[in-house]
Amino acid sequence: LREKFGCPGSRLGQSNPAARICVLYDVMNHLAIKGLFQPYAESEEKVVLDVLEGLELSPSLLLFDRGYPSYWLMYCLINRQTHFVMRVPSNANRTVKAFIESDLSDITVDIYPSYKSLAKLKQMGIWISQTTPLKIRYVKVMLDTGEVEVLATNLYDSSLYTIADLKKVYFMRWGIETFYGYVKEELQLGQFSGIRDICIRQDFAANLFLFNLQSLIEKQCEPYIEQVCKTRIYKYKVNKNISWASMKYGVVKLFLFRNTNSVLMELQHLFEKHLVPIRPGRKFPRARKGRPNCKNYTLTNYKRAL
């Protein structure tokens, strides 16, 4: 596994094998569209095109955090007629630095490739010159903390796509972080059933399948939840931690019995029995827990359901 995936650095010497996962996630429907299990040394930026390969992206809007923005990636997305919104680091380039220091909140400029982007595009078989412009729109968004973030997009029409719209859309990217939280903590992604490469990859694919199945069944519970909320103060949602436990044996029945409809209805009724209130405005400071260097284990903030 060390040879296959690599290891992160450790002050105690050679550490345990580690891998990097990259998932294309639908934040509107809460579904994992495609996921890759990559060696630890592979960067997110490097594997993103592998995740997007073979997919029809023209009607979609892709959201990226600040680890992704680069000329070559934007160039590839624009040429595929794909819209995107990316958070840009404050020190990304001179244009971004000047934009932050200015009084402007919305600009559209031409950017040019760095030598790194030229080399990356050349490696992909795309030959352009250093004077090839790329039209990018930058906007400033103000967070509740007073911090200013810069977003880059190819949605150029400021009257149709306002700064408030882009801020709202980018905030939806938080659903990607909660997705990783679910698969890593509640679904116990790091607890593999074997130590061979094929076992680990199968467990990863099974986790994505289980997550999507749970999302689809939860979607079916919405009419019932809407009826329940009419007589309650708060809005409610399915308790995901308990729903995983409900599916522990139900998923096996789906592959054993022909009458899968009855199994799915049984799971839906179990989901509807365990609801939790949605309390708006709740915020908690991020607590960083210590992790020993000798062994990987799952950190949970609640009682395990699996």
Side-chain angles (χ1 to χ4, degrees):
L1 292 179
R2 288 192 178 97
E3 293 177 358
K4 186 73 177 180
F5 297 109
C7 302
S10 173
R11 58 186 176 84
L12 298 181
Q14 194 174 37
S15 59
N16 291 328
R20 186 183 301 278
I21 61 176
C22 186
V23 179
L24 180 63
Y25 181 72
D26 185 344
V27 297
M28 296 292 292
N29 298 299
H30 310 293
L31 295 172
I33 299 173
K34 184 179 179 181
L36 292 182
F37 204 85
Q38 299 288 341
Y40 179 80
E42 297 285 348
S43 66
E44 294 174 328
E45 183 188 37
K46 187 175 181 180
V47 302
V48 63
L49 291 183
D50 294 333
V51 176
L52 300 179
E53 184 179 0
L55 301 175
E56 177 57 44
L57 300 173
S58 56
S60 304
L61 175 63
L62 300 182
L63 306 177
F64 297 89
D65 64 16
R66 59 182 177 181
Y68 288 94
S70 61
Y71 179 98
W72 71 264
L73 179 57
M74 295 179 183
Y75 181 91
C76 293
L77 293 176
I78 291 176
N79 276 272
R80 292 184 62 175
Q81 298 181 343
T82 302
H83 294 111
F84 59 83
V85 175
M86 301 181 178
R87 181 184 171 188
V88 181
S90 58
N91 60 347
N93 52 53
R94 295 179 181 178
T95 303
V96 173
K97 292 179 181 178
F99 176 53
I100 293 176
E101 295 173 357
S102 70
D103 297 329
L104 300 174
S105 58
D106 191 338
I107 61 171
T108 300
V109 297
D110 288 335
I111 64 173
Y112 298 90
S114 63
Y115 289 109
K116 181 180 178 181
S117 289
L118 287 174
K120 177 66 177 180
L121 291 171
K122 182 179 178 181
Q123 184 181 357
M124 297 166 57
I126 302 174
W127 298 78
I128 62 172
S129 68
Q130 197 174 0
T131 58
T132 303
L134 194 64
K135 185 180 178 182
I136 297 296
R137 178 186 175 196
Y138 290 115
V139 300
K140 290 179 186 176
V141 296
M142 181 71 71
L143 304 182
D144 296 337
T145 59
E147 181 184 357
V148 176
E149 287 185 349
V150 177
L151 303 179
T153 181
N154 59 341
L155 299 173
Y156 307 116
D157 192 340
S158 58
S159 61
L160 186 59
Y161 307 106
T162 65
I163 295 178
D165 292 334
L166 295 176
K167 178 181 179 181
K168 182 178 179 180
V169 166
Y170 184 75
F171 180 77
M172 296 174 66
R173 199 198 64 81
W174 185 249
I176 304 172
E177 304 299 332
T178 57
F179 160 76
Y180 283 122
Y182 287 134
V183 296
K184 289 166 64 177
E185 292 194 16
E186 295 188 12
L187 286 178
Q188 312 277 302
L189 176 61
Q191 306 299 321
F192 299 106
S193 60
I195 59 174
R196 294 169 57 192
D197 175 31
I198 185 63
C199 297
I200 292 174
R201 293 187 183 277
Q202 286 178 346
D203 285 354
F204 173 65
N207 270 273
L208 297 187
F209 168 77
L210 190 63
F211 181 91
N212 285 344
L213 181 61
Q214 193 277 346
S215 293
L216 292 172
I217 298 175
E218 185 176 332
K219 190 74 173 178
Q220 294 296 110
C221 299
E222 288 183 356
Y224 172 81
I225 296 175
E226 290 178 3
Q227 189 66 28
V228 168
C229 293
K230 291 181 179 179
T231 58
R232 300 187 182 183
I233 298 176
Y234 296 109
K235 291 184 178 180
Y236 279 70
K237 64 179 181 179
V238 170
N239 187 325
K240 284 185 179 292
N241 194 34
I242 296 180
S243 68
W244 305 129
S246 303
M247 296 176 65
K248 187 172 184 179
Y249 300 105
V251 172
V252 179
K253 294 180 182 178
L254 289 175
F255 292 95
L256 295 179
F257 303 147
R258 291 186 177 181
N259 187 9
T260 56
N261 287 340
S262 62
V263 178
L264 292 172
M265 288 302 301
E266 179 185 352
L267 289 172
Q268 180 178 333
H269 293 324
L270 288 172
F271 282 23
E272 292 172 349
K273 286 182 179 180
H274 299 93
L275 305 178
V276 292
I278 303 174
R279 295 182 173 88
R282 298 185 76 190
K283 293 183 179 180
F284 301 96
R286 185 176 181 181
R288 297 186 178 274
K289 298 181 180 180
R291 180 191 295 270
N293 292 307
C294 57
K295 181 180 179 181
N296 289 326
Y297 68 100
T298 303
L299 298 174
T300 60
N301 298 318
Y302 32 76
K303 186 176 180 180
R304 287 183 56 180
L306 294 178

